[in-house]
Amino acid sequence: MRIERSHLLHIAAPMVNQSDLPFRCLVESHGATMSYTQMLIPERLLNDKDYYEFHTRDLTLLGGRRAKPVVVQLCGNDVDEVVRAGRKLQSYCDGIDLNLGCPLDAARDARYGAYLLGQKDWPLVEDIVSSMATSFTVPVSAKLRLCQPVAKTHELAQRLEARGASWITLHARTVSSKRRRQGAADLDVVKDLKAQLTIPTISNGNVRTFDDLERNLLHTGADGLMVGETLLGNPCIFTDEIPDPVAISLEYIDLCKKFPGTATLSTVQAHIRRFVEFQCEWTPWYNRFKTALTNTANLEEIEQLVRDQVCSWRDVSGERKPMSVQDGENAVLGGSFLDS
C-alpha cells in the first residue's frame, strides 16, 4: 500500500509490547489512519527464529486485507544489521522507521534510540538512514526526540531529510529514562521544524483529549499527529468517543481470537487493564479487578472476567454506563478520565 499524506494525519505510535496486530486493528477501526509496530531489534530478527516468526506472523495474518498502512520500526547502530533486517520485513509492511527516540536504560546500554542523538553519532545516523532509503522498496522515516542543545534538532532533521527520510516524527521532549514523558512536549520546536522541512512533519506529544488533536495541529502546523499512551486508555480518541470499557475490551478480545498468536497473554492483560482503568480506576472494585486479571491464565478467562465479573461489579456499584459523544450525551473528555 502506498503511504499518502492523508495516512499521516492520525498515527498510532510504536509502543513496546502494546502495538500488536489486534490493537492496531482496533485503533484503525476507530479513526487511526496508520499504525506502527513496536520497536523491533534487528539482531534478533536476524538471529532469533522465534522472534522473527512471531513478528512476521503479526505482519502477515491480514495479508492483502490490510485497510491502513503499517510501519515497522527498527532500532540499532549497525548499518548492515538494520538494512538486512529491514529487507526481511519490507514486503510485509508499507514503511520502515528508525527509532531515534527510545529513552530507556536498555537503549542507553546498547546505544540506540535517543542515545544516538548526540552530534558525535550524527554521521552514523545519517549513514543508517541513507542506507535504508537506498536499500528498501518502501519509504523510510525517523522518529526522534529533542537534541541538546534543542536548536540542533532542526539541523539533524534536515540532514535526515537530505539522506532520504520521507517524513520526520518529533516527540518534543528531552531524553529521560526515568520519566519518559517528563514535562510537556515543546510544541514550539515542532512548529519551527515544520517550517524548516519540505517533507511531512509529525507531532508527537501533549494529546490527552480529542480537543488536543486540533489544538496541536493548529499550533504546530504539522502534517499529522502521533498518539501513544493516551490510545492505550482510549483507543477511540481520534473519533471523539469515550468507549464503554466492557464493550471496547470485548472488541479487542474478539480481534485477538481472529488473529491468534499475535498478542501474548501479558500484552492482552495490559490492554484490558488500561481499557478498564481509563474510566473505572476510581471505583471500589477496580483493585479486585486488577488482581483477578493478573490471575487469568488464558484469553477465555480474561473474556469471562470482563463479560461477567466486571459487568456484575458495575451493576452492584450502580455505575452509569458511559456514552460516546456520538450517542448524544455530554461525555467527559478532560479531567480525571484522561489524566489517570
Side-chain angles (χ1 to χ4, degrees):
M1 180 183 299
R2 178 183 172 86
I3 296 177
E4 307 289 350
R5 277 194 179 243
S6 60
H7 291 129
L8 302 176
L9 181 59
H10 291 151
I11 305 172
M15 293 178 282
V16 176
N17 297 326
Q18 300 282 269
S19 295
D20 50 287
L21 174 60
F23 184 72
R24 297 198 310 270
C25 290
L26 182 70
V27 296
E28 287 173 3
S29 70
H30 291 283
T33 54
M34 188 166 77
S35 58
Y36 279 47
T37 68
Q38 72 173 60
M39 177 188 72
L40 302 182
I41 302 171
E43 187 274 333
R44 294 193 66 185
L45 288 168
L46 295 172
N47 300 311
D48 184 331
K49 181 181 177 182
D50 290 341
Y51 183 87
Y52 172 75
E53 289 181 350
F54 178 83
H55 290 292
T56 52
R57 184 185 312 120
D58 174 280
L59 289 166
T60 57
L61 275 187
L62 267 177
R65 296 171 294 155
R66 192 165 66 237
K68 308 281 180 68
V70 62
V71 175
V72 167
Q73 187 180 70
L74 299 177
C75 65
N77 58 30
D78 184 294
V79 178
D80 181 63
E81 276 191 348
V82 171
V83 168
R84 287 194 293 129
R87 281 175 171 164
K88 293 187 73 172
L89 297 180
Q90 63 182 350
S91 61
Y92 308 135
C93 65
D94 306 294
I96 299 179
D97 182 79
L98 179 65
N99 183 318
L100 296 172
C102 182
L104 300 180
D105 289 340
R108 181 196 60 207
D109 295 342
R111 193 168 151 258
Y112 63 77
Y115 299 96
L116 291 177
L117 292 176
Q119 287 179 258
K120 65 180 177 60
D121 287 317
W122 284 10
L124 171 61
V125 170
E126 291 176 65
D127 195 14
I128 294 173
V129 170
S130 177
S131 297
M132 292 169 66
T134 56
S135 300
F136 299 159
T137 58
V138 294
V140 167
S141 63
K143 182 177 186 292
L144 53 149
R145 284 186 177 237
L146 297 176
C147 297
Q148 292 294 337
V150 172
K152 289 294 182 181
T153 307
H154 305 135
E155 182 181 346
L156 175 59
Q158 288 174 318
R159 286 171 177 249
L160 298 184
E161 176 181 13
R163 290 301 190 120
S166 293
W167 69 90
I168 296 290
T169 302
L170 178 59
H171 184 176
R173 290 184 173 95
T174 54
V175 178
S176 171
S177 61
K178 301 301 181 185
R179 296 186 61 191
R180 290 176 295 156
R181 285 165 294 281
Q182 187 170 21
D186 190 344
L187 298 185
D188 287 336
V189 181
V190 181
K191 181 179 181 179
D192 292 342
L193 181 63
K194 169 59 183 173
Q196 296 184 43
L197 296 181
T198 59
I199 57 173
T201 300
I202 310 302
S203 179
N204 179 208
N206 292 7
V207 171
R208 292 290 181 183
T209 71
F210 177 80
D211 290 343
D212 289 336
L213 298 171
E214 184 175 4
R215 280 193 290 265
N216 193 312
L217 286 176
L218 285 174
H219 183 83
T220 64
D223 298 275
L225 296 170
M226 178 178 283
V227 180
E229 189 80 4
T230 298
L231 272 179
L232 294 177
N234 181 10
C236 306
I237 191 172
F238 292 130
T239 53
D240 196 10
E241 295 177 88
I242 300 293
D244 175 72
V246 169
I248 202 70
S249 294
L250 294 176
E251 185 177 347
Y252 172 72
I253 289 170
D254 283 344
L255 287 166
C256 291
K257 293 178 182 178
K258 186 176 181 179
F259 305 114
T262 58
T264 65
L265 178 63
S266 61
T267 290
V268 177
Q269 289 170 326
H271 278 305
I272 300 300
R273 178 182 64 79
R274 293 298 296 269
F275 296 154
V276 175
E277 176 186 79
F278 178 67
Q279 295 180 66
C280 303
E281 186 180 21
W282 52 272
T283 63
W285 52 264
Y286 177 70
N287 286 333
R288 280 182 288 160
F289 160 74
K290 281 202 305 182
T291 300
L293 181 64
T294 301
N295 291 330
T296 55
N298 52 52
L299 190 63
E300 290 70 27
E301 290 185 8
I302 295 174
E303 181 176 13
Q304 184 176 14
L305 172 65
V306 172
R307 191 181 295 277
D308 299 334
Q309 195 64 60
V310 171
C311 287
S312 175
W313 283 330
R314 291 206 306 174
D315 289 342
V316 170
S317 63
E319 287 178 58
R320 181 179 66 83
K321 179 181 177 181
M323 305 290 285
S324 73
V325 170
Q326 292 181 349
D327 287 329
E329 289 204 345
N330 294 319
V332 178
L333 291 179
S336 61
F337 282 167
L338 282 169
D339 293 337
S340 62

